[in-house]
């Protein structure tokens, strides 16, 4: 069972109750002290999920405010607790890209693509990272590959156009 809505990392109240109930169900045959330890452990786990969700939401707000350094910090912090959250991975990579840390962004997009091989945004992000690294041939090749994944045609065409222009310089 997942405690999050889709892949966005939002914790629902019903999911929290289900997590807690599932944790208690596993404790049916424990004595009082063991049960107390299990309840405390389950409560601690749920609290860390709440904190991670809060960190991710704050990181998203920082990203949308173009405070990419803070966004990067909170995305990294969130991934420690929610390592499979695709939105957090993508926002981390884009935060690094917009800080002109293209090598870091490239690695983050590659890691995200490895986790989510059918996600076109990661391929587009890799193309833009190549562009930032001034590897325009590789950028064009990557943007072409992004269309195979169903990526946004506008972003793909824009990336290819800018790359072709740079090759003419």
């Amino acid at each position: 069972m997942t405690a999050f809505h889709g892949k966005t990392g939002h914790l629902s109240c019903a999911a929290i109750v289900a997590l807690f109930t599932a944790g208690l169900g596993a404790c049916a045959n424990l004595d009082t002290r063991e049960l107390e330890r299990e309840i405390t452990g389950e409560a601690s786990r749920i609290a860390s999920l709440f904190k991670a969700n809060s960190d991710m939401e704050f990181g998203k707000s920082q990203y949308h405010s173009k405070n990419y350094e803070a966004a990067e910090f909170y995305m990294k912090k969130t991934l420690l607790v929610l390592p499979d959250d695709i939105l957090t991975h993508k926002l981390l990579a884009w935060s690094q890209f917009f800080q002109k840390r293209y090598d870091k962004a490239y690695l983050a997009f590659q890691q995200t693509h490895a986790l989510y091989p059918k996600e076109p945004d990661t391929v587009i992000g890799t193309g833009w990272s190549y562009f930032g690294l001034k590897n325009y041939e590789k950028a064009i090749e990557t943007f072409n590959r992004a269309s195979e994944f169903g990526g946004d045609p506008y972003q793909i065409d824009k990336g290819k156009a800018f790359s072709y222009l740079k090759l003419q310089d």
Side-chain angles (χ1 to χ4, degrees), residues 3-4 6 12 23-24 39 75 78 80 87 90-91 101 103 108 112 118 124 129 148-149 153 158 162 168:
F4 297 94
S12 73
L24 288 178
I39 290 172
M75 293 304 127
T78 300
L80 293 174
L87 178 61
K90 290 192 310 187
L91 290 177
R101 297 173 57 218
D103 54 339
T112 305
K118 295 183 181 185
I124 292 171
S129 297
E148 297 171 17
F149 289 93
K158 183 170 80 171
F162 276 105
Q168 302 303 314

Side-chain angles (χ1 to χ4, degrees), residues 17-83:
V17 170
L19 278 171
F20 195 73
T21 304
L24 288 178
C27 300
N29 296 325
L30 302 177
D31 69 27
T32 306
R33 285 188 181 161
E34 288 174 311
L35 183 59
E36 188 177 304
R37 278 194 300 275
E38 287 296 321
I39 290 172
T40 302
E42 191 67 18
S44 176
R45 190 169 73 80
I46 291 170
S48 71
L49 291 175
F50 263 129
K51 179 69 174 130
N53 191 54
S54 172
D55 286 341
M56 190 211 21
E57 288 300 322
F58 186 72
K60 275 176 34 184
S61 73
Q62 294 304 299
Y63 178 86
H64 293 301
S65 298
K66 299 184 180 188
N67 184 355
Y68 299 118
E69 188 176 338
E72 178 183 2
F73 173 81
Y74 282 97
M75 293 304 127
K76 285 179 176 178
K77 191 173 174 188
T78 300
L79 287 172
L80 293 174
V81 179
L82 303 171

Side-chain angles (χ1 to χ4, degrees), residues 70-115:
E72 178 183 2
F73 173 81
Y74 282 97
M75 293 304 127
K76 285 179 176 178
K77 191 173 174 188
T78 300
L79 287 172
L80 293 174
V81 179
L82 303 171
D84 297 327
D85 187 77
I86 188 169
L87 178 61
T88 305
H89 277 281
K90 290 192 310 187
L91 290 177
L92 171 62
W94 283 112
S95 295
Q96 292 168 329
F97 177 85
F98 289 124
Q99 292 177 74
K100 299 182 184 336
R101 297 173 57 218
Y102 304 120
D103 54 339
K104 297 276 187 194
Y106 168 80
L107 292 173
F109 281 121
Q110 289 294 98
Q111 179 183 17
T112 305
H113 183 66
L115 292 170

